[in-house]
Amino acid sequence: MPLRQTSRVSLPGTVPTLTVNKPRASCAGAPPLVSVVLPAFNAARTLQAALDSLFVQQPAAGCPLPAFEIIAVNDGSTDDSVALLEACASEKAAKGRLRIVHLPHGGIVAALNAGLAAARGVFIARMDADDTAHPQRLALQTAHLWGNSELTLSASLAAFGGDRANAYGFAHFVDWQNSLQSPEEISRNRFRDTPVCHPTTMFRREAVDRWGPYADGDFAEDWELWLRWLHNGALMEKLPQTLLVWNDAPGRATRTDGRYAAEACDRLRALWLARHLERHNPFHPLVWVIGGGRMARRRLAPLWRLGVRPAAYIDIDAKKIGNVVGGVPVLGRQALPEPGRCRILNALTAHGAAEEAASWLEQRGYSSADWMLV
């Protein structure tokens, strides 16, 4: 697939196919089975530990260590990252596996796609410059994909590398991601938030060739990629082992970049949720929404602008029941149509509320085909 760079775009109606303008690099010798794509921008403080964790990769029981390369993409760093990369490449521990791609600073998407363009492996493993990998990560994930030809992507559990007291929200998010392991759990929860930790993933190169690489725009590039691939039939599964320490760096992009803000996430969710409902909701464009609060309405507002229509908001607060919000009635749970006669969006966000509603729906005979978490 020829690759060329493209400019940044806003959230598209159709997802662009992004590529880079130089051919995939070629090296002497047989290509490795796995390419680890590791972008780095001003990461000198943490980069050594990340690379060291890859240099010491080892086999696991019944899982040989695959031949692998590390594609470190220097995204125009102005600190000591370049010198560190060059020094690491010459280290004996690197075993000639480290290849460096230098780019002018263009951001994470350009760096990721340049890494994909340079990668020679059949499997692509992701890694960030501020995280560290378990010594058996590559062996276990390679065996996972090799032994399950139907799988598109292998992920793992992640250890939260931060202060839970000071970053409870992010720690809780990591716990939530870790609770989603099966392909069914990952698929059903994908509209709630990104269901897999990006730097824990290893995926097949052919998925990039079929469904496109990272798209650049006003959205989280990893969540957009998972939503697009899952929409097209990708199958993703997590290993039960914790194979990465996901460090909570102060400058983490999810805290500092507007592409990861709530409004951008709401627009991205709405785009792919609307496409999913159009394909799978027999009552389209009508849905019933469990959650009549301000938070749920804000999160779903972009969905209504794409043509999906709420039949009603379902709430348990007696003070809200009977109100009309934006022309939509707020009703009690007893107003829900019978199982098989509606599509329900469980949009509750308060701690434990969505789980309580899910239990209530199950007890009353609603199946997974009747409702989804958003």
Side-chain angles (χ1 to χ4, degrees):
M1 174 171 79
L3 299 177
R4 59 182 181 81
Q5 282 187 335
T6 81
S7 59
R8 184 179 175 86
V9 295
S10 58
L11 186 63
T14 58
V15 178
T17 299
L18 298 187
T19 55
V20 263
N21 60 7
K22 70 180 202 175
R24 200 176 304 169
S26 60
C27 294
L33 182 61
V34 176
S35 295
V36 182
V37 174
L38 191 160
F41 173 66
N42 288 349
R45 185 178 61 84
T46 60
L47 186 54
Q48 182 76 60
L51 289 171
D52 285 346
S53 74
L54 294 171
F55 293 160
V56 299
Q57 289 293 297
Q58 62 189 40
C63 305
L65 181 66
F68 70 94
E69 64 180 356
I70 305 164
I71 309 296
V73 184
N74 166 41
D75 182 25
S77 296
T78 57
D79 66 354
D80 293 332
S81 294
V82 175
L84 190 151
L85 284 170
E86 298 291 351
C88 286
S90 63
E91 288 180 8
K92 186 177 180 180
K95 299 180 180 178
R97 291 182 172 122
L98 178 58
R99 299 169 55 211
I100 306 168
V101 177
H102 294 289
L103 298 177
H105 182 54
I108 183 65
V109 172
L112 287 169
N113 283 336
L116 290 178
R120 298 178 297 146
V122 173
F123 299 151
I124 307 293
R126 273 284 293 111
M127 181 81 178
D128 283 341
D130 52 3
D131 301 325
T132 54
H134 185 281
Q136 296 176 334
R137 178 195 167 184
L138 296 184
L140 288 168
Q141 289 191 286
T142 300
H144 191 205
L145 287 176
W146 190 268
N148 296 275
S149 60
E150 75 283 2
L151 277 185
T152 305
L153 178 148
S154 168
S156 77
L157 308 189
F160 172 66
D163 186 334
R164 282 184 169 268
N166 292 329
Y168 172 76
F170 184 60
H172 179 70
F173 172 65
V174 175
D175 292 341
W176 173 78
Q177 278 194 338
N178 284 342
S179 73
L180 311 175
Q181 298 184 31
S182 71
E184 294 76 20
E185 289 170 333
I186 290 170
S187 181
R188 277 190 61 77
N189 285 272
R190 71 187 188 269
F191 298 112
R192 186 63 148 189
D193 208 324
T194 180
V196 295
C197 170
H198 192 191
T200 70
T201 60
M202 180 186 288
F203 49 83
R204 298 182 189 276
R205 174 75 206 200
E206 64 183 10
V208 179
D209 298 335
R210 289 180 65 188
W211 302 317
Y214 297 91
D216 197 357
D218 186 21
F219 44 77
E221 76 289 337
D222 56 340
W223 195 14
E224 192 281 334
L225 191 73
W226 312 147
L227 288 170
R228 177 166 22 113
W229 285 9
L230 286 165
H231 185 77
N232 283 288
L235 202 63
M236 304 180 181
E237 186 173 59
K238 283 182 194 161
L239 290 168
Q241 296 95 333
T242 299
L243 300 181
L244 184 102
V245 177
W246 199 11
N247 287 311
D248 186 27
R252 181 176 289 280
T254 51
R255 288 200 177 112
T256 61
D257 193 324
R259 293 178 303 167
Y260 307 98
E263 294 79 6
C265 290
D266 294 341
R267 291 192 297 271
L268 179 62
R269 177 190 299 107
L271 174 66
W272 288 102
L273 180 54
R275 293 176 178 180
H276 175 83
L277 289 169
E278 185 176 9
R279 180 183 290 181
H280 297 288
N281 179 12
F283 313 100
H284 188 72
L286 288 179
V287 293
W288 293 70
V289 182
I290 296 182
R294 186 176 302 172
M295 178 69 75
R297 298 200 307 271
R298 187 217 76 198
R299 293 171 74 250
L300 293 176
L303 185 63
W304 313 147
R305 292 194 288 270
L306 293 175
V308 179
R309 291 172 46 203
Y313 294 113
I314 303 299
D315 211 298
I316 59 174
D317 187 344
K319 295 180 180 179
K320 295 177 181 177
I321 295 173
N323 293 338
V324 176
V325 181
V328 181
V330 180
L331 306 175
R333 288 182 175 179
Q334 69 281 359
L336 276 172
E338 295 178 357
R341 295 181 177 273
C342 62
R343 181 56 54 91
I344 302 165
L345 305 183
N346 182 349
L348 294 168
T349 57
H351 183 65
E355 292 79 4
E356 184 279 330
S359 177
W360 183 90
L361 288 167
E362 182 179 0
Q363 290 172 13
R364 280 153 182 78
Y366 293 93
S367 72
S368 59
D370 294 316
W371 70 277
M372 58 195 305
L373 190 68
V374 299

